[in-house]
Amino acid sequence: RIDENIFYTTLGDDYVRLALETASKFLPGETRLVWNEALANFRLDDPTITWWLDTLRTYKEESVPIDGIGVQGHNIDKRHNVSDLAVFLQEVVNIGYDVELTEIDAPIKLFSNEADPFMAQGEFFKDYANACLKTGRCKEITFWGLDDNHTWYDGLFTETKPNLPLLIDEEGYMKPAWLGVRDAFESSYEDRERSSAWRCNSIFSLLSALSF
């Protein structure tokens, strides 16, 4: 069920609907309204996920103003199950919404048991991006920072510094994580033959801006 936070206790069950409807009245131009959420897991049999998907179906039927659904991607203590993520995102698309991945990061400690932690991190980020791109309605993919020298992890999790959770290393060089995300975008564009009906802004713009 919905968190019993200050908005819930003050405004009741419908505070999300109220927030969306109020915000939509003041959006300038073609601004998109996205419901961005942090989820502990993406299993369709999880009660929170079930509630959320049911709410999205209701909102779609009742034309509550939402242009897309954002899913936060902080992998702090453990890696998200990317297969579950892909199924979940496709379910959101099936309901009728665009999808976005937001705030993605994954510290290198989560890959410490792999033969090559940096290559494993790169494969993880590639799979993470693909989970969104393969839905055909992935509008944004955003990482929570650009390089390992500027990350919130090192300020909060000082005992595991350097945490190295991002696409570019501390000296400004591309990591396997960067290359993995690039490969996901290249593969996706090849599959879709650069269809004008499909676009994904965030990371592709970033990748295109720099030379390899």
Side-chain angles (χ1 to χ4, degrees):
R1 60 168 290 116
I2 198 167
D3 288 341
E4 295 186 4
N5 53 39
I6 188 172
F7 302 103
Y8 175 87
T9 57
T10 303
L11 301 172
D13 284 350
D14 251 5
Y15 83 84
V16 175
R17 179 199 300 266
L18 177 62
L20 292 165
E21 292 176 342
T22 302
S24 69
K25 297 177 182 178
F26 300 96
L27 291 179
E30 298 181 357
T31 304
R32 298 174 66 247
L33 186 58
V34 177
W35 183 355
N36 186 42
E37 190 62 80
L39 301 167
N41 69 78
F42 305 104
R43 298 193 312 271
L44 297 188
D45 61 350
D46 181 88
T48 298
I49 298 298
T50 299
W51 174 87
W52 207 45
L53 291 174
D54 286 344
T55 299
L56 292 180
R57 293 185 186 97
T58 298
Y59 284 5
K60 175 58 71 172
E61 292 171 359
E62 298 179 358
S63 299
V64 175
I66 307 176
D67 296 306
I69 301 301
V71 178
Q72 295 181 26
H74 293 298
N75 294 262
I76 298 175
D77 297 317
K78 63 178 181 179
R79 288 181 260 176
H80 291 147
N81 185 307
V82 180
S83 296
D84 288 346
L85 172 63
V87 172
F88 170 76
L89 292 175
Q90 189 60 58
E91 188 66 22
V92 173
V93 166
N94 292 343
I95 294 172
Y97 294 106
D98 294 332
V99 289
E100 303 183 7
L101 295 178
T102 68
E103 305 179 36
I104 304 172
D105 46 36
I108 201 66
K109 69 177 183 179
L110 300 183
F111 309 92
S112 59
N113 292 329
E114 306 288 347
D116 187 328
F118 289 98
M119 290 299 294
Q121 185 186 49
E123 284 299 311
F124 178 74
F125 280 154
K126 177 181 178 179
D127 293 342
Y128 216 92
N130 273 326
C132 190
L133 294 170
K134 289 183 180 298
T135 67
R137 292 190 63 174
C138 182
K139 293 299 184 182
E140 299 280 347
I141 295 179
T142 306
F143 285 79
W144 204 236
L146 181 60
D147 66 74
D148 287 338
N149 208 34
H150 301 88
T151 169
W152 69 283
Y153 278 88
D154 286 353
L156 189 61
F157 304 105
T158 56
E159 70 281 1
T160 54
K161 288 178 63 175
N163 288 283
L164 314 177
L166 296 168
L167 302 178
I168 298 175
D169 71 16
E170 295 170 298
E171 296 182 355
Y173 293 103
M174 292 175 293
K175 294 164 57 179
W178 174 286
L179 301 176
V181 175
R182 182 199 64 182
D183 290 347
F185 271 83
E186 287 184 347
S187 176
S188 180
Y189 268 79
E190 289 171 3
D191 290 345
R192 301 178 189 284
E193 298 179 342
R194 301 179 182 271
S195 168
S196 60
W198 181 90
R199 64 188 180 90
C200 187
N201 298 323
S202 173
I203 289 298
F204 185 73
S205 298
L206 177 61
L207 293 175
S208 299
L210 301 177
S211 61
F212 292 98

